[in-house]
């Protein structure tokens, strides 16, 4: 089970703790230290589309308006922390740590 995110993200930390408590063995893939590959970005976009971009993040708010119009893949390559977190590869792919993601992964 791979949890894609950043180690300082509270939501990622909650997901890792819950998964570990449920007996899973999640591995954190910090997208700052090890950015997503083009293939991973394409797979995540196919699964989640525009929802993959966290438009409420400080990174997003700091982007110039012209850069915000770039395609999702371009944005994630340039700014990995724009990805909504976590993306979990376990029982399928899930985005975020809402009730649906918890039900799917736990």
């Amino acid at each position: 089970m791979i949890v894609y995110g950043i180690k300082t993200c509270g939501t990622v930390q909650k997901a890792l703790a819950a998964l570990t408590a449920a007996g899973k063995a999640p591995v954190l893939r910090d997208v700052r230290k090890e950015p997503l590959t083009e293939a991973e970005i394409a797979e995540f976009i196919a699964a989640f589309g525009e929802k993959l971009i966290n438009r409420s993040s400080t990174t997003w708010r700091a982007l110039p308006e012209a850069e915000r119009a770039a395609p999702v893949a371009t944005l994630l390559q340039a700014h990995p922390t724009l990805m909504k977190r976590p993306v979990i590869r376990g029982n399928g792919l899930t985005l975020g740590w809402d009730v649906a993601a918890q039900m799917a992964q736990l």
Side-chain angles (χ1 to χ4, degrees):
M1 174 174 277
I2 302 171
V3 177
Y4 299 86
I6 56 176
K7 70 178 182 177
T8 57
C9 175
T11 305
V12 170
Q13 292 170 355
K14 287 177 191 174
L16 287 169
L19 292 166
T20 301
K24 310 285 183 177
V27 175
L28 174 63
R29 164 96 176 271
D30 191 322
V31 297
R32 268 192 192 135
K33 294 179 181 173
E34 189 181 345
L36 298 172
T37 65
E38 286 183 25
E40 289 167 331
I41 291 172
E43 178 185 13
F44 293 173
I45 291 171
F48 309 117
E50 292 284 326
K51 292 179 187 175
L52 191 57
I53 297 295
N54 182 358
R55 288 182 168 77
S56 63
S57 71
T58 55
T59 304
W60 176 262
R61 289 190 303 261
L63 288 179
E65 196 63 40
E67 195 169 353
R68 291 181 183 183
V72 173
T74 303
L75 287 168
L76 289 177
Q77 286 172 335
H79 308 282
T81 59
L82 276 177
M83 182 182 82
K84 182 176 171 110
R85 302 176 294 267
V87 171
I88 302 174
R89 181 187 307 279
N91 297 326
L93 274 179
T94 57
L95 178 63
W97 191 240
D98 58 10
V99 173
Q102 292 173 34
M103 299 283 287
Q105 298 298 343
L106 296 174

